[in-house]
Amino acid sequence: MMLLQCQSNGLGVQHNMTYAAITGWGKCLPPAALTNADLATFLDTDDEWIKTRTGMQERRISHVSVSDLGYIAALRALAAAGKTVDDVELIVFGSCTPDQICPNVASRVQELLGAGRAACMDVNTACTSFLYGLTTASSMLRTGAVKSAIVIGAEVISPIMDWDNRNVAVLFGDGAAAVYLEASDHKEGLLDQQLGCYGEVRDILTVHGWGMKYANQEMQMGNSYWQFEGQEIFKRAVVGMVSASNSVLERNQLSSRDVDLVVPHQANLRIIDAVAKRADIEPEKVFVNVHRYGNMSAATVAVALVESIEEGRVNPGDHILLPAFGGGLSWCAHLIKWGERIQPIGQSGAELPACNKTALELVDELRASKAPRTALQGLMI
Ligand code: UT7
């Protein structure tokens, strides 16, 4: 252990400084892809509008549960780290679409993995859940509470999507990714973060029908109604992400020029461009995959981070900035220093069960199972 002079108690006592290195990574995307043209078969929308207003071309629709996606992503992250399930001391599941609330989803992943030594918790801050989960797990490693962790960002939004509402139905998709963290003496992993929330405007993104508030209201789970003020969310998202990015860089005496890669939340290409411009970040440093997956909420930054490694965008020692926002209205920016290894140690052969339906068939089934939207609006609380 590296010994550092203690700054906090002024007594000259020496403490060990532990970091939470990111040593494994893996993603799991359900195979069925819903194109803009598919959406135009049942919504008053078109490819041109969706592409120019959001940058999105397709998104995935899951045929399995969010815990199944998270489990496969976790296995892949473990293999990339060269670790086994017995090494895992903590599982943090970041999501706002848990398939169950009690018991939580992390415990389901523990059961599927057979990772019996792991403590299990879910974290929900909507789209920022993976990043808030990364803070939670890294902090626990840094205090010594645990020595390793899997942090998952996963979402299966399609069952609660308001499929008749073109304002939201075109924007979201399903997916998952995970990272493996291990205690390290080297200064790497999550160095710092700025977390925040505009609670006073929490209503601007509300999924009515999703939560105990709606119990016994004749509103079945899944029959949701989305309250969504797109332009207000857009403005708040840009302000929150830029302010968080500036704070975390300043605190670490870094300028935007010192950042090697930016992996932002992918809710809209125009939001990403606005954040990069206002935070003075060169566009070529910004990783974008919103065209492939749309907004996968908590899975978004997790999948983007994994793909930026897979596509050779991450180099040893890089400073990576991860700005994000989500319902709440939560916002944050995380600063990661990558370690030495950019190649996975191993690969998992685990796969999802085959999907024998198209994305449009999956969505058609979900739409057929919903009550008419007008009936749901009457039940809004
Ligand atoms: O992770 C958090 C999730 N939230 C977000 O990411 C939301 C952030 N906000 C946004 O990304 C954008 O505000 C949207 C993509 C949601 C909307 O883009 P916009 O440029 O702000 O469009 P708008 O809301 O001003 O709508 C412009 C027009 C409207 O028609 P009128 O009133 O001008 O006739 C909408 O009804 O576009 C219409 N419109 C659509 N047209 C075709 C809205 N959605 C669609 C659609 N297809 N899917």
Side-chain angles (χ1 to χ4, degrees):
M1 286 276 170
M2 181 171 66
L3 294 176
L4 292 183
Q5 200 71 21
C6 176
Q7 295 175 333
S8 58
N9 65 9
L11 299 174
V13 177
Q14 291 189 322
H15 284 281
N16 298 333
M17 180 63 98
T18 305
Y19 292 92
I22 302 174
T23 59
W25 51 90
K27 65 181 181 185
C28 179
L29 280 315
L34 188 75
T35 64
N36 293 347
D38 289 333
L39 285 160
T41 63
F42 62 90
L43 283 173
D44 180 15
T45 189
D46 58 78
D47 180 52
E48 185 58 22
W49 191 97
I50 302 172
K51 267 201 308 227
T52 52
R53 299 289 180 125
T54 72
M56 297 171 189
Q57 295 175 20
E58 55 182 44
R59 66 288 295 144
R60 302 297 175 91
I61 304 296
S62 187
H63 63 301
V64 296
S65 70
V66 74
S67 43
D68 291 332
L69 294 183
Y71 160 60
I72 300 289
L75 276 177
R76 292 174 180 168
L78 266 176
K83 299 292 177 185
T84 72
V85 292
D86 295 328
D87 295 310
V88 185
E89 294 190 13
L90 172 69
I91 298 169
V92 179
F93 200 99
S95 182
C96 65
T97 53
D99 40 28
Q100 274 181 304
I101 293 169
C102 181
N104 67 13
V105 189
S107 62
R108 173 76 178 133
V109 173
Q110 190 225 49
E111 181 190 30
L112 290 167
L113 287 172
R117 290 181 61 222
C120 297
M121 71 168 85
D122 290 1
V123 169
N124 171 16
T125 55
C127 300
T128 56
S129 302
F130 169 71
L131 290 168
Y132 274 63
L134 187 65
T135 292
T136 307
S138 299
S139 304
M140 289 174 72
L141 265 83
R142 295 193 70 168
T143 62
V146 293
K147 293 191 177 52
S148 65
I150 291 176
V151 182
I152 300 166
E155 220 77 80
V156 173
I157 302 168
S158 50
I160 58 155
M161 179 42 67
D162 192 352
W163 284 110
D164 294 331
N165 180 356
R166 69 177 183 176
N167 293 320
V168 289
V170 305
L171 300 177
F172 293 89
D174 302 334
V179 292
Y180 184 82
L181 308 180
E182 55 189 290
S184 168
D185 299 335
H186 301 285
K187 188 176 179 183
E188 62 179 284
L190 180 62
L191 297 187
D192 198 2
Q193 64 276 291
Q194 183 68 45
L195 310 175
C197 183
Y198 298 131
E200 72 280 11
V201 290
R202 64 194 291 276
D203 290 347
I204 63 179
L205 201 180
T206 305
V207 182
H208 294 282
W210 189 231
M212 290 310 133
K213 184 178 173 184
Y214 304 93
N216 305 319
Q217 300 291 324
E218 298 172 31
M219 196 163 178
Q220 289 172 3
M221 275 297 192
N223 273 342
S224 59
Y225 171 75
W226 288 53
Q227 185 177 336
F228 190 85
E229 296 176 33
Q231 291 188 358
E232 191 57 27
I233 301 169
F234 193 120
K235 282 185 221 151
R236 292 280 184 156
V238 173
V239 172
M241 287 200 282
V242 171
S243 132
S245 299
N246 289 340
S247 299
V248 80
L249 291 180
E250 265 171 48
R251 201 162 49 233
N252 289 274
Q253 283 137 28
L254 296 171
S255 83
S256 58
R257 304 290 137 187
D258 300 316
V259 173
D260 301 293
L261 180 68
V262 180
V263 183
H265 182 48
Q266 318 265 323
N268 187 324
L269 187 55
R270 291 187 295 141
I271 295 180
I272 296 172
D273 289 344
V275 169
K277 198 169 170 199
R278 291 195 196 187
D280 192 26
I281 288 159
E282 297 111 300
E284 55 275 13
K285 286 185 177 173
V286 182
F287 184 84
V288 174
N289 65 1
V290 69
H291 51 291
R292 288 199 280 271
Y293 307 122
N295 179 354
M296 297 177 289
S297 182
T300 295
V301 171
V303 170
L305 179 62
V306 170
E307 293 197 338
S308 62
I309 304 162
E310 290 171 349
E311 293 176 21
R313 299 282 301 269
V314 175
N315 294 301
D318 272 359
H319 281 113
I320 308 174
L321 183 68
L322 307 108
F325 73 99
L329 198 105
S330 63
W331 47 269
C332 55
H334 286 57
L335 178 66
I336 285 174
K337 187 170 190 298
W338 201 259
E340 282 306 307
R341 187 165 54 78
I342 50 173
Q343 296 298 332
I345 290 177
Q347 285 192 332
S348 165
E351 294 290 344
L352 289 175
C355 176
N356 56 11
K357 291 182 180 141
T358 66
L360 193 51
E361 284 167 350
L362 291 169
V363 169
D364 282 343
E365 281 176 8
L366 291 166
R367 290 178 62 228
S369 66
K370 290 210 180 235
R373 185 154 177 254
T374 43
L376 299 177
Q377 271 171 295
L379 291 171
M380 265 174 59
I381 314 171

